[in-house]
Amino acid sequence: MARTPLRSDLIEEITARVLDGRFAAGARVNEVHLARELGVSRTPLREALIGLADRGLLVSAPGRGFLVPPFDLDEARRLYPLVAELEALALRWTSPLELAGLPDALDAVADEMAGALERGADLSEVDERWHALLLSRCPNAHLLRLIGQTKPLLKRYESCYFGGAARAGESIGEHRRIAAALRDGDLAAASAVLVRNWVKALAYLGKDER
């Protein structure tokens, strides 16, 4: 890093390493090596690690430091319905007047997802942008902050969901149905499809586990 990073920078960097697998599930974070690599002292690094442990992205183990938690289907069963309901709530709290033009923008990102699927590329980044756009008109900053803090806990599981073309294609179709419901002004229908999309993702994870 070109400058001494702030705590938020460290949190962002470590989060990225956990989510992209550079810090593998079950691995211990070597604080000495990481501090040296990032060019920081142990104090701000430890503050960042504590912050990530508070969010559930790391685990503080007495005598062992900080560990990347293993993949846990029970955790996914707790988190996926929570995020589904939070996103649906954010959508329902958005004024219909604020939704003008949003369905077309959502369809454009869904087109990007379809293109990525055809190329065999990773869909998770485009899917993340689609969901961020969906919630971008919600006026409740506290709710959006809660969603933003919770969703990274799910990102490690996304490769399981988007691992097959049939699953990804089904998800894209649901994204388009959400946009269509919003275009019709039917927030209740859009919210129902949104929750179903998340629940199906959890169901696929259960199948992969077996």
Side-chain angles (χ1 to χ4, degrees), residues 16 24 70 85 109 118 146 148 163-164 168 174 185 191 201:
E85 295 297 338
V109 180
E118 291 179 359
L146 178 59
E174 289 172 339
S191 299

Side-chain angles (χ1 to χ4, degrees), residues 2 15 30 33 37 47 56 70 74 77 88 92 135-136 144 151 183 204:
T15 296
N30 189 316
H33 290 173
E37 179 184 348
E47 290 175 352
D74 287 336
R77 287 181 178 134
R92 291 195 299 270
L135 305 184
S136 63
L144 295 178
K151 289 188 72 172
R183 191 173 285 111
Y204 280 131

Side-chain angles (χ1 to χ4, degrees), residues 116-196:
L117 179 60
E118 291 179 359
R119 299 191 303 273
D122 179 27
L123 271 66
S124 59
E125 184 274 331
V126 188
D127 179 72
E128 184 178 352
R129 283 198 287 114
W130 188 94
H131 282 270
L133 179 61
L134 178 69
L135 305 184
S136 63
R137 311 290 176 85
C138 176
N140 192 319
H142 296 289
L143 177 56
L144 295 178
R145 188 177 305 112
L146 178 59
I147 294 171
Q149 291 173 348
T150 306
K151 289 188 72 172
L153 300 175
L154 298 179
K155 290 193 67 174
R156 297 192 303 154
Y157 298 96
E158 287 183 353
S159 62
C160 300
Y161 180 44
F162 289 119
R167 301 176 190 180
E170 184 177 0
S171 180
I172 294 169
E174 289 172 339
H175 286 45
R176 295 192 188 282
R177 285 193 288 277
I178 293 168
L182 292 177
R183 191 173 285 111
D184 292 337
D186 194 341
L187 277 176
S191 299
V193 178
L194 177 62
V195 170
R196 186 162 62 247

Side-chain angles (χ1 to χ4, degrees), residues 9-31:
D9 297 323
L10 291 171
I11 287 177
E12 183 177 345
E13 174 64 21
I14 297 166
T15 296
R17 295 185 183 211
V18 171
L19 298 182
D20 67 17
R22 282 178 285 171
F23 288 166
R28 183 176 70 86
V29 177
N30 189 316
E31 295 181 45

